[in-house]
Structure formats: structure tokens, C-alpha cells
Amino acid sequence: MRPYQGAVAAILLSVAAVSAAQTYHIADRWKLGGQGGWDYLLSDNAAHRLYIAHNSRVEVVDSSTGKPVGAITGLKSTHGVALNPDGKTGYISDGAGNVIVVFNRADLAIQAKIPAGTNPDGITFEPVTKTVWAFNGRSKDVTVLDTPSNAVIATVALPGKPEFAQTDGHGNVFDNIEDKNEIVKLDAASHAIVATWPLQDCESPSGMAIDRTTHLLFSVCDGGKMAIVDYTTGKQLGTAAIGDSPDAAGFDAKHDLAFSSNGDGTLTIVNAAKPGFPVLQTLKTAKGARTMAIDGSTGRVYLVTAQFGAAPQATDDHPHPRPSIVPDTFEIIVVER
């Protein structure tokens, strides 16, 4: 009987481990409404606010209740938001406007619009140099903004089309180069590319997350892959299996988990502390929910999407048109442990 009991115990422990891993669920859905597409989200954990790039505006939402706080309006096509650690100032990449928008976080008033390159997309604040880096998708360069003076101090050419970026807190900036399947490392003080790291088995890297404790970058790619790179050496340590059509990655430092939000309607949760980077859970979310933000203080994950209508007729210029977005269906999906 003892061998049988031992086998049963092992099975029960295995089931319990799997059950414990399947801990994330959709806790709420917050309707925002409005029209048009969307891009990146950012969580201001201390202020309990979410900033959401939504068409020609940035929605600001109370991340505890889902109630709207306000919006930064009068823009053309917003992509991302970065926040100054001073707690007072924020920055928006306005792609169609080709500007970096500086705004006051207290009243959401626009303070300045600074010319950038063509179609600024990913944007991040670098704390050592107190600069904002706006990565320009069409001109394939990065605009560096000195925040004390709100003056552009550099434009750095890149080897290809940039996507999302991260900083390590020690004067280095990392960015995915989507059409080259690589990561570039930039020195924030010299405004120079100091390393280029090819990604293996990872096509069109878009979203990027960072673990500043174990020095890892997580780049999500087409083909259902997440590349994990040691940013002290540039060595790729492995890949994890994720959903299709991702656009954002996230990292929860409290639980050593990496996330990929996927356009196929899934959220992939990866164990970043275990060799091989196994997937702990694939949570069904909603079609189009491919960008997200993580509140590191609560562990909540926020995704956004809307309902879709029919796609426009294909043309030579747009052979694969996106489906139309049903007005007033835009929503935040709240995921919790």
C-alpha cells in the first residue's frame, strides 16, 4: 500500500501545484466608451492612476475604482506615456503630431509640445540623466528631451524601426528594433548605441519588460515567443511560449512573473525565476487586448480592448485592413490573483 499511497500523494501535490499556479482571473470590466483605437497603458502605482493612450487623447482613470479622473485632449494620435519621478509632470508621444507633449499631472493641462521625429511611439523616462526618450517609428531614430529645460538635446539614429523601450536605472536604455529582430542598448549620457543584440527565434519584437533585480529583459514577438535576455551580457537565456499577436510585456517583481498580453485574446503568465521560463497560466481575456499595464503594488494587471465590427475592403495600399471598432465599447479588463 505504501508505494500506491506515495504515488497518490505525488499526484495530489502535482495537482495542487498546478492549481496554485492557475491563480489569475478577470475580476472586473470597466467601461470607458469613446471612439477609435488605443495603444500603451501606464500605471502610476503611488497615485493609483492609469494613463491610457486612446486615439487623440489620454484617458486618466482611478486604478482602484475604474472611475474616470479626466483626460489630456487636443492631440492627434497618442501612443505612450512616461512619468517624471518628481510626481508633477508627464510626457506623451503624439505620433501623428510628431511631438512630445508635456503635461501637468495635477490638472492634466498641457504645458508644452516639443517637436520630435516622425511618429513618436514608445516613450520612457531615464532617471540618471533626467531625460525623456521618444522612439520615432517612421524616422527610425530617438528624440532625447532634457526635462529641466524641455529642450531636445539629441536625436540618435537607430538601425531600424523602434518599438517599446526600458531603462535600468543606471543610465542605460534598451529598445526593441522590430524589423531587425534585435535589441539595442544606448548610453543615456553619451546618447550613443553601445551594443546590439540579435534575438533568436523571435520575429518582430514589440513589447518589452524589465527585471532590474536579476537584470533580465523580456521581449514579446510574433510567432508565439517571448525572448529573455540578460542585459548585462546581451546573452539570450531562452524563450517562453506565449499567445499570438502580442504588443506589450510586463513584469511583477514581487512574484517573479513575466506577462505577455496577446491580441488573440489571451494573457500569458511566465515563471521568470525558474530555469526554462515555464508558462504558469494562459488566461483567456478578450480579442484585441494586446496592451497592458501592471500595478506593482497590488499585482493587478490592466488590459484594454473594444468590440470589433467588419473589416474594411482590402486595397493595394492596405491588403490586410483592421476591423472597425464599435463606438463606445472601449473597456478596461482588470485581472487579479
PDB file of all heavy atoms in Angstrom, residues 104-125:
ATOM      1  N   ASN A 104       0.836  68.608 -17.013  1.00  0.00           N
ATOM      2  CA  ASN A 104       0.809  68.717 -15.564  1.00  0.00           C
ATOM      3  C   ASN A 104      -0.073  67.610 -15.012  1.00  0.00           C
ATOM      4  O   ASN A 104      -1.252  67.509 -15.381  1.00  0.00           O
ATOM      5  CB  ASN A 104       0.265  70.097 -15.165  1.00  0.00           C
ATOM      6  CG  ASN A 104       0.320  70.345 -13.674  1.00  0.00           C
ATOM      7  OD1 ASN A 104      -0.082  69.500 -12.879  1.00  0.00           O
ATOM      8  ND2 ASN A 104       0.817  71.508 -13.290  1.00  0.00           N
ATOM      9  N   ARG A 105       0.475  66.783 -14.136  1.00  0.00           N
ATOM     10  CA  ARG A 105      -0.293  65.650 -13.621  1.00  0.00           C
ATOM     11  C   ARG A 105      -1.369  66.062 -12.618  1.00  0.00           C
ATOM     12  O   ARG A 105      -2.290  65.283 -12.339  1.00  0.00           O
ATOM     13  CB  ARG A 105       0.659  64.626 -13.000  1.00  0.00           C
ATOM     14  CG  ARG A 105       1.406  63.843 -14.070  1.00  0.00           C
ATOM     15  CD  ARG A 105       2.733  63.302 -13.608  1.00  0.00           C
ATOM     16  NE  ARG A 105       2.632  62.298 -12.578  1.00  0.00           N
ATOM     17  CZ  ARG A 105       3.694  61.706 -12.036  1.00  0.00           C
ATOM     18  NH1 ARG A 105       4.921  62.029 -12.443  1.00  0.00           N
ATOM     19  NH2 ARG A 105       3.549  60.800 -11.102  1.00  0.00           N
ATOM     20  N   ALA A 106      -1.278  67.263 -12.066  1.00  0.00           N
ATOM     21  CA  ALA A 106      -2.277  67.702 -11.093  1.00  0.00           C
ATOM     22  C   ALA A 106      -3.591  68.054 -11.775  1.00  0.00           C
ATOM     23  O   ALA A 106      -4.668  67.617 -11.346  1.00  0.00           O
ATOM     24  CB  ALA A 106      -1.755  68.907 -10.310  1.00  0.00           C
ATOM     25  N   ASP A 107      -3.516  68.841 -12.861  1.00  0.00           N
ATOM     26  CA  ASP A 107      -4.746  69.263 -13.526  1.00  0.00           C
ATOM     27  C   ASP A 107      -4.862  68.760 -14.967  1.00  0.00           C
ATOM     28  O   ASP A 107      -5.822  69.088 -15.665  1.00  0.00           O
ATOM     29  CB  ASP A 107      -4.878  70.787 -13.503  1.00  0.00           C
ATOM     30  CG  ASP A 107      -3.716  71.497 -14.199  1.00  0.00           C
ATOM     31  OD1 ASP A 107      -2.896  70.818 -14.842  1.00  0.00           O
ATOM     32  OD2 ASP A 107      -3.634  72.732 -14.082  1.00  0.00           O
ATOM     33  N   LEU A 108      -3.874  67.970 -15.418  1.00  0.00           N
ATOM     34  CA  LEU A 108      -3.847  67.367 -16.755  1.00  0.00           C
ATOM     35  C   LEU A 108      -3.773  68.408 -17.870  1.00  0.00           C
ATOM     36  O   LEU A 108      -4.108  68.114 -19.018  1.00  0.00           O
ATOM     37  CB  LEU A 108      -5.065  66.443 -16.960  1.00  0.00           C
ATOM     38  CG  LEU A 108      -5.268  65.354 -15.900  1.00  0.00           C
ATOM     39  CD1 LEU A 108      -6.473  64.491 -16.249  1.00  0.00           C
ATOM     40  CD2 LEU A 108      -4.027  64.493 -15.745  1.00  0.00           C
ATOM     41  N   ALA A 109      -3.309  69.598 -17.544  1.00  0.00           N
ATOM     42  CA  ALA A 109      -3.163  70.649 -18.548  1.00  0.00           C
ATOM     43  C   ALA A 109      -1.873  70.457 -19.340  1.00  0.00           C
ATOM     44  O   ALA A 109      -0.827  70.081 -18.783  1.00  0.00           O
ATOM     45  CB  ALA A 109      -3.151  72.020 -17.882  1.00  0.00           C
ATOM     46  N   ILE A 110      -1.941  70.708 -20.639  1.00  0.00           N
ATOM     47  CA  ILE A 110      -0.754  70.625 -21.489  1.00  0.00           C
ATOM     48  C   ILE A 110       0.125  71.842 -21.241  1.00  0.00           C
ATOM     49  O   ILE A 110      -0.339  72.987 -21.272  1.00  0.00           O
ATOM     50  CB  ILE A 110      -1.156  70.536 -22.972  1.00  0.00           C
ATOM     51  CG1 ILE A 110      -1.865  69.196 -23.243  1.00  0.00           C
ATOM     52  CG2 ILE A 110       0.059  70.689 -23.878  1.00  0.00           C
ATOM     53  CD1 ILE A 110      -2.417  69.060 -24.640  1.00  0.00           C
ATOM     54  N   GLN A 111       1.416  71.586 -20.998  1.00  0.00           N
ATOM     55  CA  GLN A 111       2.365  72.660 -20.729  1.00  0.00           C
ATOM     56  C   GLN A 111       3.217  73.007 -21.943  1.00  0.00           C
ATOM     57  O   GLN A 111       3.648  74.147 -22.099  1.00  0.00           O
ATOM     58  CB  GLN A 111       3.274  72.268 -19.555  1.00  0.00           C
ATOM     59  CG  GLN A 111       2.520  72.082 -18.247  1.00  0.00           C
ATOM     60  CD  GLN A 111       3.426  71.632 -17.114  1.00  0.00           C
ATOM     61  OE1 GLN A 111       4.380  70.871 -17.322  1.00  0.00           O
ATOM     62  NE2 GLN A 111       3.145  72.107 -15.912  1.00  0.00           N
ATOM     63  N   ALA A 112       3.492  72.018 -22.795  1.00  0.00           N
ATOM     64  CA  ALA A 112       4.336  72.266 -23.969  1.00  0.00           C
ATOM     65  C   ALA A 112       4.168  71.127 -24.954  1.00  0.00           C
ATOM     66  O   ALA A 112       3.783  70.002 -24.579  1.00  0.00           O
ATOM     67  CB  ALA A 112       5.804  72.391 -23.557  1.00  0.00           C
ATOM     68  N   LYS A 113       4.450  71.426 -26.220  1.00  0.00           N
ATOM     69  CA  LYS A 113       4.535  70.417 -27.265  1.00  0.00           C
ATOM     70  C   LYS A 113       5.895  70.584 -27.935  1.00  0.00           C
ATOM     71  O   LYS A 113       6.164  71.622 -28.539  1.00  0.00           O
ATOM     72  CB  LYS A 113       3.404  70.565 -28.284  1.00  0.00           C
ATOM     73  CG  LYS A 113       2.025  70.254 -27.707  1.00  0.00           C
ATOM     74  CD  LYS A 113       0.943  70.336 -28.788  1.00  0.00           C
ATOM     75  CE  LYS A 113      -0.431  70.012 -28.203  1.00  0.00           C
ATOM     76  NZ  LYS A 113      -1.500  70.048 -29.239  1.00  0.00           N
ATOM     77  N   ILE A 114       6.738  69.550 -27.801  1.00  0.00           N
ATOM     78  CA  ILE A 114       8.121  69.621 -28.261  1.00  0.00           C
ATOM     79  C   ILE A 114       8.259  68.803 -29.541  1.00  0.00           C
ATOM     80  O   ILE A 114       7.963  67.597 -29.542  1.00  0.00           O
ATOM     81  CB  ILE A 114       9.086  69.074 -27.197  1.00  0.00           C
ATOM     82  CG1 ILE A 114       8.743  69.618 -25.799  1.00  0.00           C
ATOM     83  CG2 ILE A 114      10.520  69.374 -27.594  1.00  0.00           C
ATOM     84  CD1 ILE A 114       8.841  71.100 -25.645  1.00  0.00           C
ATOM     85  N   PRO A 115       8.718  69.382 -30.651  1.00  0.00           N
ATOM     86  CA  PRO A 115       8.892  68.615 -31.887  1.00  0.00           C
ATOM     87  C   PRO A 115       9.827  67.425 -31.695  1.00  0.00           C
ATOM     88  O   PRO A 115      10.893  67.541 -31.082  1.00  0.00           O
ATOM     89  CB  PRO A 115       9.488  69.646 -32.853  1.00  0.00           C
ATOM     90  CG  PRO A 115       9.022  70.964 -32.334  1.00  0.00           C
ATOM     91  CD  PRO A 115       9.011  70.811 -30.840  1.00  0.00           C
ATOM     92  N   ALA A 116       9.397  66.279 -32.221  1.00  0.00           N
ATOM     93  CA  ALA A 116      10.195  65.050 -32.157  1.00  0.00           C
ATOM     94  C   ALA A 116      10.473  64.593 -33.584  1.00  0.00           C
ATOM     95  O   ALA A 116      10.395  65.378 -34.530  1.00  0.00           O
ATOM     96  CB  ALA A 116       9.452  63.984 -31.362  1.00  0.00           C
ATOM     97  N   GLY A 117      10.809  63.310 -33.752  1.00  0.00           N
ATOM     98  CA  GLY A 117      10.957  62.748 -35.080  1.00  0.00           C
ATOM     99  C   GLY A 117       9.595  62.405 -35.665  1.00  0.00           C
ATOM    100  O   GLY A 117       8.550  62.906 -35.213  1.00  0.00           O
ATOM    101  N   THR A 118       9.583  61.512 -36.650  1.00  0.00           N
ATOM    102  CA  THR A 118       8.344  61.151 -37.321  1.00  0.00           C
ATOM    103  C   THR A 118       7.697  59.952 -36.633  1.00  0.00           C
ATOM    104  O   THR A 118       8.300  58.893 -36.530  1.00  0.00           O
ATOM    105  CB  THR A 118       8.604  60.814 -38.800  1.00  0.00           C
ATOM    106  OG1 THR A 118       9.347  61.875 -39.394  1.00  0.00           O
ATOM    107  CG2 THR A 118       7.303  60.637 -39.551  1.00  0.00           C
ATOM    108  N   ASN A 119       6.489  60.165 -36.154  1.00  0.00           N
ATOM    109  CA  ASN A 119       5.681  59.151 -35.479  1.00  0.00           C
ATOM    110  C   ASN A 119       6.333  58.633 -34.188  1.00  0.00           C
ATOM    111  O   ASN A 119       6.645  57.447 -34.071  1.00  0.00           O
ATOM    112  CB  ASN A 119       5.383  57.967 -36.405  1.00  0.00           C
ATOM    113  CG  ASN A 119       4.331  57.044 -35.809  1.00  0.00           C
ATOM    114  OD1 ASN A 119       3.408  57.476 -35.138  1.00  0.00           O
ATOM    115  ND2 ASN A 119       4.492  55.750 -36.059  1.00  0.00           N
ATOM    116  N   PRO A 120       6.515  59.495 -33.179  1.00  0.00           N
ATOM    117  CA  PRO A 120       6.994  59.006 -31.882  1.00  0.00           C
ATOM    118  C   PRO A 120       6.015  57.996 -31.292  1.00  0.00           C
ATOM    119  O   PRO A 120       4.811  58.221 -31.286  1.00  0.00           O
ATOM    120  CB  PRO A 120       7.096  60.270 -31.038  1.00  0.00           C
ATOM    121  CG  PRO A 120       6.208  61.264 -31.712  1.00  0.00           C
ATOM    122  CD  PRO A 120       6.253  60.927 -33.164  1.00  0.00           C
ATOM    123  N   ASP A 121       6.562  56.896 -30.813  1.00  0.00           N
ATOM    124  CA  ASP A 121       5.745  55.759 -30.373  1.00  0.00           C
ATOM    125  C   ASP A 121       6.086  55.418 -28.925  1.00  0.00           C
ATOM    126  O   ASP A 121       5.551  55.996 -27.998  1.00  0.00           O
ATOM    127  CB  ASP A 121       5.978  54.597 -31.329  1.00  0.00           C
ATOM    128  CG  ASP A 121       5.065  53.413 -31.097  1.00  0.00           C
ATOM    129  OD1 ASP A 121       4.201  53.481 -30.206  1.00  0.00           O
ATOM    130  OD2 ASP A 121       5.205  52.398 -31.796  1.00  0.00           O
ATOM    131  N   GLY A 122       7.004  54.456 -28.710  1.00  0.00           N
ATOM    132  CA  GLY A 122       7.424  54.136 -27.360  1.00  0.00           C
ATOM    133  C   GLY A 122       8.104  55.335 -26.713  1.00  0.00           C
ATOM    134  O   GLY A 122       8.823  56.091 -27.371  1.00  0.00           O
ATOM    135  N   ILE A 123       7.886  55.512 -25.395  1.00  0.00           N
ATOM    136  CA  ILE A 123       8.458  56.658 -24.690  1.00  0.00           C
ATOM    137  C   ILE A 123       8.790  56.240 -23.267  1.00  0.00           C
ATOM    138  O   ILE A 123       8.045  55.465 -22.644  1.00  0.00           O
ATOM    139  CB  ILE A 123       7.479  57.858 -24.722  1.00  0.00           C
ATOM    140  CG1 ILE A 123       8.113  59.124 -24.156  1.00  0.00           C
ATOM    141  CG2 ILE A 123       6.172  57.529 -24.014  1.00  0.00           C
ATOM    142  CD1 ILE A 123       7.294  60.391 -24.424  1.00  0.00           C
ATOM    143  N   THR A 124       9.921  56.735 -22.747  1.00  0.00           N
ATOM    144  CA  THR A 124      10.339  56.342 -21.406  1.00  0.00           C
ATOM    145  C   THR A 124      11.141  57.456 -20.761  1.00  0.00           C
ATOM    146  O   THR A 124      11.764  58.274 -21.453  1.00  0.00           O
ATOM    147  CB  THR A 124      11.157  55.031 -21.439  1.00  0.00           C
ATOM    148  OG1 THR A 124      11.351  54.546 -20.110  1.00  0.00           O
ATOM    149  CG2 THR A 124      12.516  55.235 -22.099  1.00  0.00           C
ATOM    150  N   PHE A 125      11.131  57.491 -19.427  1.00  0.00           N
ATOM    151  CA  PHE A 125      11.909  58.468 -18.654  1.00  0.00           C
ATOM    152  C   PHE A 125      13.164  57.795 -18.139  1.00  0.00           C
ATOM    153  O   PHE A 125      13.110  56.711 -17.554  1.00  0.00           O
ATOM    154  CB  PHE A 125      11.084  58.999 -17.475  1.00  0.00           C
ATOM    155  CG  PHE A 125      11.767  60.092 -16.701  1.00  0.00           C
ATOM    156  CD1 PHE A 125      11.534  61.424 -17.022  1.00  0.00           C
ATOM    157  CD2 PHE A 125      12.643  59.808 -15.665  1.00  0.00           C
ATOM    158  CE1 PHE A 125      12.165  62.448 -16.318  1.00  0.00           C
ATOM    159  CE2 PHE A 125      13.284  60.815 -14.960  1.00  0.00           C
ATOM    160  CZ  PHE A 125      13.040  62.142 -15.294  1.00  0.00           C
TER     161      PHE A 125
END
